[in-house]
C-alpha cells in the first residue's frame, strides 16, 4: 500500500473518489445557497448596481411628480385668483352702472365719476393762416356775449430755428435788393412762387403758407403806388383762381398765375381780439 490512498500499481483506494465527489457537491450546494440567500459576494456586487439604477429612476420619478404637483397647484392658484379678480371687477362695474342709472334717474351727477378727459388728438399746424372772423361775430365778442377766439400754434425748437433762419435769409435778400436799387442796378427777377390748389384739403398752398376757405388775407399789388389793395376774405378756392370778398360785400377773383409771378401777393391777417 502506498501513501496518498493509492495501492501498488498506481490505482486509488476504494472510497476515495466518492469522498471527493461528495466534497465537490457540498461546495456547489453551499455556493448555490449563498446565491439564493443573497450572500454571494459576486451576486451582491451586481445586485448593488441594479439597485443603484432603480433608486436613481425612483428618485427622478419622485422629482417629476413633485414638479408636476407644484405646477398644477400654481396653475390652480392662478386660475382661482383670476376668477376672483374677474368676479370682483364685474361686481364693481355692475355697481357703478347701477349707481349711474340711479343718479341719472334723479337728474344728478355722480360725484364718484372722474372728470371727462379730452381725447382729441392735437394737430400741429405750421404757418397756417387764421380763419376769417365774421363782423357780426366780432361785434358779439365785443359785447362779451361770446369768449374771445384765441389761436395758438406751438412750434418745436427745431421749427423755431428753421423759421429764424428763413427770416434772416429773407432779410438779407431784402437788404441786398435795396442796396442794388440804391446803386441804380436792376434787381434780379423773383423766382416763380409755388402756388397750387390742394384738392383733398380744399386749401390754397401759397409757398410755405396754407390758406383755407374763410381765411383773412391782405392783397398786395405791385402795380399800385401804395402796394396795398385792401383786406379780403377767401370764399372759394379753385384750380385756376381764388374768389375773395371784402367787408363791404365786394367780390373779386385772383388767378393763381398772378400769385405765382408775384405780381399779386397774399399776406395773412391775424384775428383781432
Amino acid at each position: 500500500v502506498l501513501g496518498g490512498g493509492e495501492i501498488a500499481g498506481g490505482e486509488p483506494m476504494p472510497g476515495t473518489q466518492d469522498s471527493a465527489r461528495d466534497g465537490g457537491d457540498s461546495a456547489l450546494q453551499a455556493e448555490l445557497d449563498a446565491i439564493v440567500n443573497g450572500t454571494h459576494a459576486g451576486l451582491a456586487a451586481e445586485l448593488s448596481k441594479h439597485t443603484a439604477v432603480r433608486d436613481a429612476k425612483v428618485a427622478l420619478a419622485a422629482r417629476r411628480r413633485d414638479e408636476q404637483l407644484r405646477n398644477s397647484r400654481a396653475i390652480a392658484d392662478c386660475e382661482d385668483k383670476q376668477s376672483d379678480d374677474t368676479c370682483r371687477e364685474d361686481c364693481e362695474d355692475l355697481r357703478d352702472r347701477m349707481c349711474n342709472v340711479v343718479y341719472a334717474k334723479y337728474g344728478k351727477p355722480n360725484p364718484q365719476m372722474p372728470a371727462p378727459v379730452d381725447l382729441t388728438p392735437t394737430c400741429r399746424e405750421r404757418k397756417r393762416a387764421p380763419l376769417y372772423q365774421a363782423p357780426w361775430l366780432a361785434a358779439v365778442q365785443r359785447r362779451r356775449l361770446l369768449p374771445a377766439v384765441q389761436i395758438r400754434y406751438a412750434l418745436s425748437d427745431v421749427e423755431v430755428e428753421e423759421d429764424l433762419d428763413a427770416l434772416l435769409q429773407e432779410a438779407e435778400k431784402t437788404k441786398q435788393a435795396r442796396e442794388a436799387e440804391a446803386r441804380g442796378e436792376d434787381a434780379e427777377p423773383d423766382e416763380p412762387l409755388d402756388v397750387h390748389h390742394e384738392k383733398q384739403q380744399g386749401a390754397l398752398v401759397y409757398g410755405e403758407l396754407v390758406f383755407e376757405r374763410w381765411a383773412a388775407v391782405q392783397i398786395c399789388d405791385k402795380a399800385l403806388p401804395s402796394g396795398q389793395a385792401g383786406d379780403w376774405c377767401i370764399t372759394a378756392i379753385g384750380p385756376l383762381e381764388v374768389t375773395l370778398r371784402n367787408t363791404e360785400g365786394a367780390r373779386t377773383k385772383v388767378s393763381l398765375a398772378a400769385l405765382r409771378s408775384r405780381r399779386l401777393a397774399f399776406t395773412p391777417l391775424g384775428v383781432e381780439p
Side-chain angles (χ1 to χ4, degrees), residues 193-270:
L193 186 64
D194 181 16
V195 179
H196 63 276
H197 173 227
E198 188 69 25
K199 186 176 180 181
Q200 295 181 355
Q201 299 180 358
L204 175 66
V205 178
Y206 182 79
E208 295 183 357
L209 298 177
V210 178
F211 292 102
E212 296 180 347
R213 191 182 178 189
W214 306 116
V217 297
Q218 184 180 28
I219 301 178
C220 300
D221 190 355
K222 293 183 178 180
L224 297 178
S226 62
Q228 303 294 333
D231 301 340
W232 297 81
C233 171
I234 298 176
T235 58
I237 302 173
L240 299 178
E241 60 185 9
V242 179
T243 305
L244 303 101
R245 184 179 62 184
N246 59 8
T247 56
E248 298 177 356
R251 295 187 179 182
T252 185
K253 293 184 179 180
V254 176
S255 63
L256 301 187
L259 296 175
R260 293 192 188 99
S261 63
R262 300 179 186 267
R263 185 172 62 84
L264 296 179
F266 282 173
T267 303
L269 294 178

Side-chain angles (χ1 to χ4, degrees), residues 73-237:
R73 292 192 183 96
I75 292 173
D77 295 339
C78 292
E79 290 180 353
D80 293 343
K81 187 178 183 302
Q82 185 177 4
S83 300
D84 294 340
D85 295 342
T86 303
C87 180
R88 184 173 61 258
E89 291 176 358
D90 293 342
C91 293
E92 292 178 356
D93 186 24
L94 179 60
R95 189 181 301 108
D96 294 340
R97 285 190 283 111
M98 291 296 295
C99 291
N100 293 334
V101 170
V102 173
Y103 276 107
K105 178 180 178 181
Y106 289 94
K108 294 183 179 181
N110 188 356
Q112 297 180 357
M113 291 295 294
V117 181
D118 186 10
L119 300 179
T120 304
T122 58
C123 180
R124 181 174 61 86
E125 299 292 342
R126 186 168 183 264
K127 292 186 178 180
R128 184 175 294 274
L131 298 179
Y132 172 73
Q133 186 179 16
W136 63 268
L137 181 58
V140 171
Q141 289 182 355
R142 281 195 295 269
R143 289 195 296 267
R144 297 184 180 180
L145 296 180
L146 290 177
V149 179
Q150 296 182 359
I151 301 177
R152 297 179 181 178
Y153 303 106
L155 298 179
S156 61
D157 297 339
V158 177
E159 293 174 345
V160 172
E161 293 179 359
E162 293 178 356
D163 294 343
L164 291 176
D165 294 339
L167 292 175
L168 292 176
Q169 293 176 3
E170 291 294 334
E172 186 65 24
K173 291 181 180 179
T174 304
K175 180 180 178 181
Q176 293 177 1
R178 289 180 179 177
E179 292 177 354
E181 291 178 359
R183 291 193 303 266
E185 301 176 357
D186 294 335
E188 297 181 358
D190 295 333
E191 297 180 357
L193 186 64
D194 181 16
V195 179
H196 63 276
H197 173 227
E198 188 69 25
K199 186 176 180 181
Q200 295 181 355
Q201 299 180 358
L204 175 66
V205 178
Y206 182 79
E208 295 183 357
L209 298 177
V210 178
F211 292 102
E212 296 180 347
R213 191 182 178 189
W214 306 116
V217 297
Q218 184 180 28
I219 301 178
C220 300
D221 190 355
K222 293 183 178 180
L224 297 178
S226 62
Q228 303 294 333
D231 301 340
W232 297 81
C233 171
I234 298 176
T235 58
I237 302 173

Side-chain angles (χ1 to χ4, degrees), residues 1-20:
V1 178
L2 300 176
E6 295 182 355
I7 59 175
E11 296 180 356
M13 295 180 62
T16 305
Q17 294 179 356
D18 296 338
S19 61

